[in-house]
Amino acid sequence: QVQLVESGGGSVQAGGSLRLSCVASGSTLSMTYMGWFRQAPGKEREAVAAIRAGGSSTYYADSVKGRFSISQANAPNTAYLQMDNLKPEDTAMYYCASRGTFSSPAYVLRERDWNTWGQGTQVTVSS
């Protein structure tokens, strides 16, 4: 099993930046992808960004393209989400996730296809 622990959330004003970190432990050799998802109050959890091991491929939701950047470090197994030019609508609980392979890249940003989740870190953006 893989365990994921997020950190780096907080409160910022609109236009500010935050960097989230997710450290993976356990059976990390089974991980092929790491991703970030978010859930705002009253809304469903949605994909934000994902990365294939080694950083060969990255995927972004349209709402964050050009503002957020996902990256990965191998030692330890850590994924980062650099969030710039934050907007109030980015306010949410942010979750790290991991899984093995996908049968198609088309499924990478599909929330229901991810099977391992962290506890989340809160991001609040004020106007």
Side-chain angles (χ1 to χ4, degrees), residues 52-67:
R52 183 180 173 90
S56 58
S57 299
T58 56
Y59 308 81
Y60 295 94
D62 288 342
S63 59
V64 305
K65 284 180 181 177
R67 300 189 298 122

Side-chain angles (χ1 to χ4, degrees), residues 28-112:
T28 57
L29 289 178
S30 66
M31 291 194 317
T32 301
Y33 290 86
M34 295 184 76
W36 288 96
F37 295 74
R38 66 186 182 187
Q39 187 169 23
K43 295 187 177 182
E44 294 186 351
R45 188 158 55 186
E46 62 178 6
V48 175
I51 187 167
R52 183 180 173 90
S56 58
S57 299
T58 56
Y59 308 81
Y60 295 94
D62 288 342
S63 59
V64 305
K65 284 180 181 177
R67 300 189 298 122
F68 291 11
S69 177
I70 189 170
S71 59
Q72 189 176 31
N74 289 329
N77 291 291
T78 304
Y80 303 98
L81 185 68
Q82 178 66 40
M83 305 186 294
D84 297 320
N85 191 21
L86 282 160
K87 303 176 181 180
E89 51 264 43
D90 295 318
T91 294
M93 183 71 77
Y94 282 70
Y95 296 91
C96 179
S98 73
R99 67 159 287 153
T101 59
F102 286 91
S103 58
S104 167
Y107 303 144
V108 173
L109 293 182
R110 198 163 68 176
E111 186 264 356
R112 65 177 183 267

